[in-house]
Each structure stands twice: as C-alpha cells, then as structure tokens.
Amino acid sequence: MVIITEEEDDHKRHSKPSPRPKPTPSSKPSKPSPPSKPPQNVQNPFAFWFYFTVTVAIITLIFISFSSLSPQDPKSWFLSLPTPLRHHYSKGRTIKVQTRPDQSPFQVFTSEKSVTESEKVIIVHGLGLSSYAFRNVIDALASRGVHVVAFDLPGNGFSDKSTVEIEDSGGGFLGRFKFVVSEIQEKGLFWAFDEIVATGQVPFEEIEARASKRKVEKAIELGPVEIGKVLGQVIETMGLAPVHLVLHDSALGMVSNWVLENAGSVRSVTLIDTGSKPAGALPLWVFEVPLVREVVLGVSYAHALLVRVSCSRGVGGAELDAHRVLLKGRDGPRAIVGMGKKLNYSFDIAEWGGSDGLKGVPMQLLWSGSWSKEWSEEGRRVANALPKAAFVTHSGGRWPQEDAADEVAGHIANFVSSLPATVRKVHEEPIPEHVQKMLDEAEQSGNHGHVHVHGHAGHEEHNHNVHGAGAGYPDAYGLGHGHGW
C-alpha cells in the first residue's frame, strides 16, 4: 500500500524563497571613496589690494589730521632747511608789499646781484618755483655785467605764504563749537573757571566779543591783477625801472596785464618756455588731491619723478629736495593751487603780443629744443603768435634754469646788450638850507673843500620798505632783522 503525502511539496512550495527585491539605485553598493583632502582656502588677490589701499588711506588721513592739529614751528622749519637754502636766504632781503588798502602788508623775498651802471634785469618765476631755482642764472648774468634781481612770488619760496585776517565767525552751534575749541587750545581748559574764581562771574561779554571776531590764517591766493601790483612795487622799491623782464613758464599769465599797462617801464621782455596757455609745466592738480599731495611732497622719489617727467630731466637730487622742501612749507601747496585757479585761461598770447602798447618793446623767446616733439611744435606756435620776437632754442628742459643755466644766461645777456643802452635819469635832492648856508660861508672865507656834510644823500640811496640782508625768517629766531612767519 502506497501512502502519498504532500507535505514535502507543500513545504517546499511554501518555503520557496521569495524573489529578492531588485536593488534600487540608492541601494547599489558604492565603491569606497578615497580619503577626502582638507579644504583649501582660495584667496582673492583683489581683496588684499583693497584692504591695503584702505589701510594706507586711513593712516594717511590720520597723519594729515595730526599734522594739521599741530602747526609747524617756523623756527624749527627754517633751521631744518638744507644748507644751500639757508645760504641763499642769507644773501637776500625782504620787501613789504600791499595789494589792497584793507589788507595787511606781507613780505616778498628778493635775491639781487648788483653791477654798477649796468642794465637791470628782473626774473619772474612760474608757479611752484622760487628765486632759488634761478641762483645759477643770477650768478651767470652778474658775471656778464648785468644787474639782476629775482624775487619769490607771494605763496612761493621764502615769501609769505599766508596772512592773518580778522573775519566774522560763522553763527550757529558749529561756529561756536569751533570757537570754544580754539579758546581751549589758546588759553587752556580751565580758563573760564579761572575767570569765574577771579571775577565771580562767567565772562560772557568777552566770550561773545571774541566769538564775533576771530583771527583766521589764510593762504595767499593772488590773481594776475594783484601779482602785477606786487611786481610793480618790487620794481619801484628797488629802483629798477626801466627794466628788462625775464618771464619763465606761467609767469606771463600772471603779469601780462601789468606789462601792457606799464610798457613805458619795460625795456625788453624775454620769455622762457612760456606756452600759449597760462598753465605751466608743473601739474598743479597733484597738489590739490590730499593723498597724492602728501605722497609727492613727503617722498623725495615721488617728487623727483614728477619733476623729471613734467619739467626737467637734468635736475640733481639735492636741488630737487630743496625745491620740495620750499614748496611744502607752510601753506605753499594751497597757495599755488589757488593762484593757478585764478589765472586767465582765456589769455591770447597773439593778441597780447600784437597790442599797441607793446609795439616798441623788444622781445625774445627762449625755447627748449630737446624736451619733446609736442613741446617743439608748441614753440613754433608761440613764435608764430609773436612774429617780432627773436626765437632762440636751448638744450635744457622746460625748467632750463637748472640744467642749462649758463646757456640761458648767455642768451639773456646777449639780447640785453644788443639793445641801445638805457638812459636813466638821476634825480638829485635839493641841498638843505643849513647845508647851503655852510657852503656859502666856506666860499666867502676861502675855506674850500673842508666842509663836512653829514646825512645828505642822493635820491638813489633812499630805499623805503626794504630790510637788509638776512631779513625775514631769521627775525623770529634772533638771527637777523625783518620778519618771520
């Protein structure tokens, strides 16, 4: 008997493994990943330069703020000058000039080398320069028998660069706050408290009176009319008229009107690298931008690069540093920028040269023939605008007084000597009555030639408003006579 059971089949049927689920993409076995590298910091180079620029700007602004809060001591500044500058100053003298009746007189520094009974030449420099730049031209002209004078324009060189004026203070909270700060700086923090203790009351009236009027130091920013007045007063005070004018760079734009109005006092005009536009070789905008100005005036290399690119390639390092120090001192940059803005930029050199007042005035044009092609073309344009002027080239740059001084002086001396000699009138003062009486008595008694007269001098010896050599800065330091800043 066969027994058939289905347990096994049923068991197998029921125990049949269920189909394995297909792996999903997420459940696929992944290969072992390589060990991860540490993250690298990728720096942007622009970020470095941004933060560097901001840092330099902040440091510069802090430096400017501190320098403006602590004014430069005039004595310390003068004594810190290079020896050639102090030597140049010691040989000059200062003259008082005044451009407006309501303005206080200010001092103009002059450098002079006198030759008896010779033609008189006065040199007017361009903005940003001084008589020191023409020291070699002065020596070379004097050695050729020329009486030469160079002076520093106000705001330049050793001349005054600022004046103190009294003005109404600004009203409102800000104006009074500034006044309180200035009072604290001048009199100390406990000045008002001391007044209360001494008088028993707050000095309101004195504070109010002082607040309404205050002294303000302003940079000298003269226009062409005022600069012409300065030139006229220097010529009159030093007895130079009629004079041979030597105008360099932007000087023509500053004194052109004075020349037209005083052609009778002008014996001849020599223009040295004077373009058809009033702007000179030195870019004045550099001294108007705060950060750029501080770099150019504070770093010798930056200033030297500016001069050699714009003005002259042959200036030595010591001379350049002397120019930089003079330009930097006490409101110098602000003065020349202000004067540059007041120049007449509509000035027409052809119209000026062809005016009726200058028909009988001889002219000479000295021009750099090696500076650049563009500058040589400008020279031809100026020469065409002044057809009556003699055109002569030199080997220097746009500031040839430094790298071609002897050559420039030779051209000036030859031009001056080629003209008819100047006839000067000598005005003799009348003999005082008591002196004449003594002379008459001596003649009657037959005692000729034994009368001694004291205190009488000719007109040429009277020199008003002129201080002797060594005047100016040293006065404030006990080193001489004159004035100080």
Side-chain angles (χ1 to χ4, degrees), residues 124-174:
V124 186
H125 64 79
L127 288 176
L129 284 169
S130 66
S131 60
Y132 175 78
F134 288 86
R135 66 200 180 281
N136 296 328
V137 176
I138 294 173
D139 293 339
L141 282 173
S143 67
R144 289 171 167 84
V146 177
H147 181 158
V148 58
V149 173
F151 72 98
D152 295 348
L153 290 171
N156 296 258
F158 286 109
S159 293
D160 282 348
K161 299 181 180 180
S162 60
T163 58
V164 178
E165 300 179 5
I166 298 177
E167 63 176 20
D168 294 330
S169 62
F173 174 78
L174 184 59

Side-chain angles (χ1 to χ4, degrees), residues 184-266:
I184 292 175
Q185 291 178 339
E186 180 180 352
K187 297 186 175 183
L189 182 62
F190 298 102
W191 168 72
F193 179 76
D194 294 339
E195 289 292 320
I196 294 174
V197 173
T199 62
Q201 60 182 358
V202 180
F204 286 113
E205 294 182 359
E206 182 179 351
I207 294 175
E208 189 68 25
R210 290 173 58 85
S212 61
K213 299 287 184 180
R214 61 183 178 129
K215 293 182 179 180
V216 179
E217 185 175 352
K218 292 186 176 182
I220 296 177
E221 302 175 356
L222 304 183
V225 175
E226 296 167 310
I227 295 175
K229 292 180 180 179
V230 171
L231 173 61
Q233 291 179 41
V234 171
I235 292 174
E236 180 182 3
T237 302
M238 303 186 73
L240 302 176
V243 66
H244 299 271
L245 278 180
V246 175
L247 308 178
H248 171 244
D249 197 49
S250 56
L252 176 60
M254 293 185 280
V255 301
S256 57
N257 290 335
W258 183 91
V259 176
L260 285 177
E261 296 170 359
N262 300 271
S265 299
V266 178

Side-chain angles (χ1 to χ4, degrees), residues 400-438:
Q401 66 276 5
E402 289 287 0
D403 51 5
D406 193 69
E407 184 181 353
V408 169
H411 289 313
I412 296 173
N414 293 338
F415 179 63
V416 168
S417 62
S418 68
L419 302 174
T422 302
V423 178
R424 300 181 182 276
K425 296 179 181 180
V426 179
H427 301 281
E428 294 186 358
E429 294 182 354
I431 299 176
E433 184 178 351
H434 70 282
V435 176
Q436 184 63 50
K437 184 177 180 181
M438 292 171 61

